[in-house]
Amino acid sequence: MKLEEAQKVIEGLIFAAPYPISSEELGTILEFEPIIVERLIERIREQFANSGLMIRTVAGGYQFVTRPELVSWIDKLGRPLISAPLSLAGLETLAIIAYQQPLTKSHVEQIRGVRSDSAISTLLDRELIMEFGRKDGPGRPILYGTTQKFLVHFGLRSLDDLPDRPKVPRIGEISE
Amino acid sequence: MKLEEAQKVIEGLIFAAPYPISSEELGTILEFEPIIVERLIERIREQFANSGLMIRTVAGGYQFVTRPELVSWIDKLGRPLISAPLSLAGLETLAIIAYQQPLTKSHVEQIRGVRSDSAISTLLDRELIMEFGRKDGPGRPILYGTTQKFLVHFGLRSLDDLPDRPKVPRIGEISE
Amino acid sequence: MGYLVRLEVYEGPFDLLLNLIERDQIDILDIPIAKIAQEYLAYLKQMQERDLVVSGDFLVIAATLLRIKSTMLLPRNPEFEEVSEFEDPREELIAQLLEYKFYKEVAQTLVDRNQQATAMYPRLHYESNEKKLPIYTNPVGDSSIHQLASLYQQVLHVVKESAHVHEVQRRISLSECMQELRVRLIAGHETTFTQLVGARDRYHTIVTFLAILELVKKREIIIIQHQDFGEIYLELIQDQEVVL
């Protein structure tokens, strides 16, 4: 068997095996020394360098898995699709976050004058806002900001495209 | 997102999805038009040309599988058969349901000329058919239709992959 | 016990008929009914001899065959034939046979397709019952960026107004705050520290906190926290006469 052919077979076996398959087992099936199998797997790995898949060594065997950096995409699989409009409370909260980001939930609540937990969790679910680290200070509250998706869905290239901020001082400046 | 990056994500999603994933669903996740997704999948297929794996189109979606020419090697893994082969009665019943769906059990029996309770209950157990509501009329009998699993099991892209149903000639036309 | 001849098993009467037709190399569209009916009945007789159950379905078609046979034997009324188109009594049966034959062929196609399909191994997946969050296909609904911007202006306007109003607001005293807490705890809708503090200013938060401590000291309420940094629950002590 040519090495190229053997590589294909190894790929197929690793992919189809119901458990991480070892180089010994692969060697037995192919009638190759395990060391040869291991070299071939190294070559396969090189060929998968630009793929979304990779072969990981785990539990004494090999297994195809998706690349770790794709996890946020893979998580979206099988999620039900919903197209419900955004509530006014959500939109109001989004407006405040868009213009004042990054800011904390209590800052939003201070501006809106009402509790905003559910508005913020809606915006997080809709992936319009995300956590931007934590604020220094007591309780180290979470800071929120808008996402790429926010820009896409409002047709903005960047935050600079937000319609001009009205000439009203920021909340912190008001009490002065 | 760069196209290269999108390709990786698509590979990852097709690999990770527990069912054949459609270009529409991939498009929703990536926020791409399905047609773009389809083009990218063509590019991925080219890149997998020398791999033991390939992307097949089945049941309205995409799925990674091992290449058919590797089957004798993969069989050596001793993976248990997903299911025992269907009986002829089951296959006949399935063929009728595939073409005439949704239809009732008595309609199946009329075509087959024999009672089909056990064939239908086997097909239901195997999730190759499912109930599709009830027919209006006396007794409101259950209507049956085929499932996505049916398409996958027989490697069909859609029901259109089944042979065309010939027009049944009328006897009057025959004798001429 | 005599010798045993293996008897073919058929899926049903149509399967048997098709088999007889194929065996005798008969044109399905021009079935010699008398001959086929004879062979069909002979088979049923064999089945009975072997104590095999001949299901009603086979008998129904036997009756149909005999009916067709007798209809075809009847002399046709030439007067009748002039006006109405001659209807072949075999027509319905042939249509049924052709339809059945088609599905029998499809069944074979399915076997082949399955063979091809199983030559390609998919990856094994493990069922997961994990609940997935929904994806919002249209997360902002039909709102526009201008709506967003004008909403922001409105909000800021309200803030500016209320900021001025705030200056002249009388500040709540500790005893007033304690009284307010009693009322709210009796109402029973708000029983956690977070709810009671609400989204008000720092002054109010401090006064509420002090009021809670005071109520604990007076043994009017108890506070419960199930875990470190968890929510703090406030409960009125039963049998405590609360003076409103």
Side-chain angles (χ1 to χ4, degrees), chain C residues 212-224:
Chain C
I212 290 169
L213 292 182
E214 196 59 32
L215 287 171
V216 172
K217 198 173 128 195
K218 285 166 151 286
R219 294 184 187 281
E220 286 188 35
I221 63 166
I222 49 167
I223 51 181
I224 303 158

Side-chain angles (χ1 to χ4, degrees), chain C residues 10 23 43 78 95 101 130 143 147 185 192 205 244:
Chain C
Y10 297 102
R23 192 191 64 190
Y43 177 83
K101 186 166 178 269
E130 195 189 336
S143 2
Q147 260 174 294
L185 283 170
T192 70
T205 306
L244 287 179

Side-chain angles (χ1 to χ4, degrees), chain A:
Chain A
M1 184 166 41
K2 279 193 220 153
L3 287 188
E4 263 183 28
E5 185 61 21
Q7 255 180 247
K8 279 194 195 187
V9 175
I10 291 172
E11 283 175 31
L13 289 168
I14 294 175
F15 176 85
Y19 48 85
I21 189 168
S22 67
S23 51
E24 288 75 20
E25 264 176 291
L26 288 165
T28 309
I29 294 175
L30 284 152
E31 300 185 11
F32 278 3
E33 288 299 317
I35 184 79
I36 308 280
V37 171
E38 280 157 33
R39 292 227 184 103
L40 288 172
I41 289 172
E42 280 320 306
R43 283 179 53 169
I44 297 170
R45 279 188 165 140
E46 281 163 30
Q47 286 168 15
F48 273 81
N50 293 316
S51 165
L53 314 182
M54 55 179 259
I55 293 178
R56 75 164 166 182
T57 314
V58 65
Y62 301 98
Q63 190 181 44
F64 270 108
V65 288
T66 54
R67 282 195 186 280
E69 61 265 30
L70 301 182
V71 66
S72 62
W73 292 101
I74 309 294
D75 274 350
K76 293 179 199 261
L77 273 174
R79 287 166 54 176
L81 300 181
I82 292 185
S83 71
L86 188 58
S87 67
L88 192 63
L91 200 60
E92 196 178 284
T93 305
L94 185 59
I96 293 164
I97 295 175
Y99 282 90
Q100 306 237 351
Q101 61 187 302
L103 80 171
T104 63
K105 188 185 69 168
S106 71
H107 193 159
V108 171
E109 291 176 335
Q110 203 180 333
I111 298 173
R112 289 187 64 217
V114 286
R115 302 210 46 179
S116 305
D117 305 69
S118 92
I120 283 183
S121 87
T122 299
L123 295 173
L124 285 168
D125 283 352
R126 287 174 181 253
E127 296 175 275
L128 294 168
I129 62 168
M130 57 184 277
E131 296 184 9
F132 270 66
R134 282 168 182 277
K135 191 178 171 174
D136 287 335
R140 296 190 28 80
I142 297 164
L143 290 163
Y144 297 98
T146 55
T147 59
Q148 186 71 21
K149 204 163 187 167
F150 164 80
L151 294 176
V152 171
H153 282 276
F154 282 115
L156 305 173
R157 275 165 304 178
S158 74
L159 286 175
D160 295 337
D161 278 358
L162 276 173
D164 275 351
R165 228 182 256 174
K167 289 285 170 210
V168 174
R170 288 250 213 154
I171 191 78
E173 299 155 22
I174 289 169
S175 43
E176 254 64 64

Side-chain angles (χ1 to χ4, degrees), chain B residues 121-139:
Chain B
S121 85
T122 303
L123 296 175
L124 283 171
D125 284 350
R126 298 259 193 113
E127 294 173 359
L128 296 169
I129 62 168
M130 58 183 276
E131 296 185 8
F132 271 67
R134 282 168 182 276
K135 193 180 170 173
D136 286 336

Side-chain angles (χ1 to χ4, degrees), chain C residues 184-244:
Chain C
R184 287 168 74 187
L185 283 170
I186 287 170
H189 301 305
E190 301 150 310
T191 54
T192 70
F193 182 72
T194 320
Q195 284 168 339
L196 291 167
V197 167
R200 301 206 217 166
D201 58 22
R202 186 184 297 176
Y203 172 81
H204 191 272
T205 306
I206 293 167
V207 174
T208 307
F209 184 67
L210 291 174
I212 290 169
L213 292 182
E214 196 59 32
L215 287 171
V216 172
K217 198 173 128 195
K218 285 166 151 286
R219 294 184 187 281
E220 286 188 35
I221 63 166
I222 49 167
I223 51 181
I224 303 158
Q225 191 180 28
H226 295 296
Q227 65 199 57
D228 291 349
F229 309 112
E231 185 56 86
I232 298 166
Y233 296 89
L234 283 73
E235 236 171 68
L236 281 168
I237 293 175
Q238 299 292 318
D239 307 326
Q240 173 74 41
E241 235 178 82
V242 178
V243 188
L244 287 179

